[in-house]
Amino acid sequence: MSADYYPTFALDDIANLHESAQVEFKLAGGRDGNGMLPEGMWESYSAFANTLGGEIILGVKEQQGEFTIEGIINPMPMLSEIWAILHDPKKISHNILAPTDVQIIEIMAKKLIRIHVPCVDVKLRPIYVGTDPYSGTYFRVGDADMHASREQVEQMSLKAGIDLKLKQLKQ
């Protein structure tokens, strides 16, 4: 992939932070403010994997279209949880991340978690949340994660050479 394929963005340019087809921000503050994985993160993981790939940045707050870097007080337990979920086939169909794809980064003296989700080859699609590809497959349209229709899931599976009916019978 060329460097042009994934546009870069600067997290420290607060005035120009925005979500896009390849960037998703999540607060990940949790009730106590110490950090917790946001539920919608896994839909973004599926969407990026099934579309063009992208970056999920945890620790950024959105309020009325404005983004602020809040940070995560203790990101280490979240990293452990991310890897545990990625290795659990009941939660995510495939772990497509390498160790270098999940990083703690520091911006403005605040810790964030950066997750680089690569675009997967059509032979691995669909990447989905949970055990049901029909209810857990997403794709990215603009700055939104969209639920894939049954027809779209079947189309991805055909391209991958996967018989979903047979796969579901085995589960």
Side-chain angles (χ1 to χ4, degrees):
M1 298 259 153
S2 72
D4 309 320
Y5 194 75
Y6 293 109
T8 59
F9 61 97
L11 284 171
D12 54 355
D13 185 4
I14 298 292
N16 291 313
L17 284 183
H18 64 279
E19 293 182 329
S20 69
Q22 293 181 291
V23 179
E24 177 73 24
F25 296 115
K26 302 282 186 191
L27 179 57
R31 287 189 187 142
D32 60 4
N34 287 324
M36 186 172 122
L37 288 180
E39 289 181 31
M41 185 185 101
W42 300 109
E43 285 84 354
S44 297
Y45 173 85
S46 169
F48 285 139
N50 292 324
T51 313
L52 296 173
E55 306 282 332
I56 301 170
I57 309 295
L58 304 179
V60 179
K61 179 180 178 181
E62 176 186 8
Q63 190 168 6
Q64 299 174 337
E66 300 289 319
F67 295 92
T68 55
I69 295 175
E70 297 290 314
I72 300 167
I73 294 170
N74 186 8
M76 291 308 289
M78 291 175 63
L79 287 182
S80 297
E81 186 180 0
I82 288 168
W83 289 112
I85 290 170
L86 286 167
H87 290 293
D88 184 347
K90 291 180 180 162
K91 297 192 177 193
I92 297 293
S93 62
H94 290 85
N95 172 16
I96 58 167
L97 302 184
T100 55
D101 289 329
V102 181
Q103 302 171 335
I104 295 173
I105 58 175
E106 196 165 311
I107 305 288
M108 298 171 52
K110 295 182 181 178
K111 293 177 182 165
L112 308 174
I113 295 176
R114 176 187 172 265
I115 303 166
H116 170 73
V117 182
C119 170
V120 297
D121 188 279
V122 294
K123 292 180 179 123
L124 283 178
R125 294 180 191 178
I127 301 296
Y128 51 91
V129 180
T131 58
D132 181 9
Y134 294 110
S135 64
T137 299
Y138 294 82
F139 61 96
R140 192 82 173 172
V141 176
D143 64 357
D145 301 327
M146 305 298 289
H147 190 263
S149 69
R150 187 170 191 85
E151 185 177 295
Q152 289 167 321
V153 172
E154 287 174 357
Q155 226 172 26
M156 281 189 245
S157 299
L158 280 174
K159 287 180 183 174
I162 298 169
D163 184 344
L164 286 177
K165 291 174 185 148
L166 184 63
K167 188 174 182 178
Q168 286 184 321
L169 286 175
K170 290 180 179 179
Q171 291 180 351

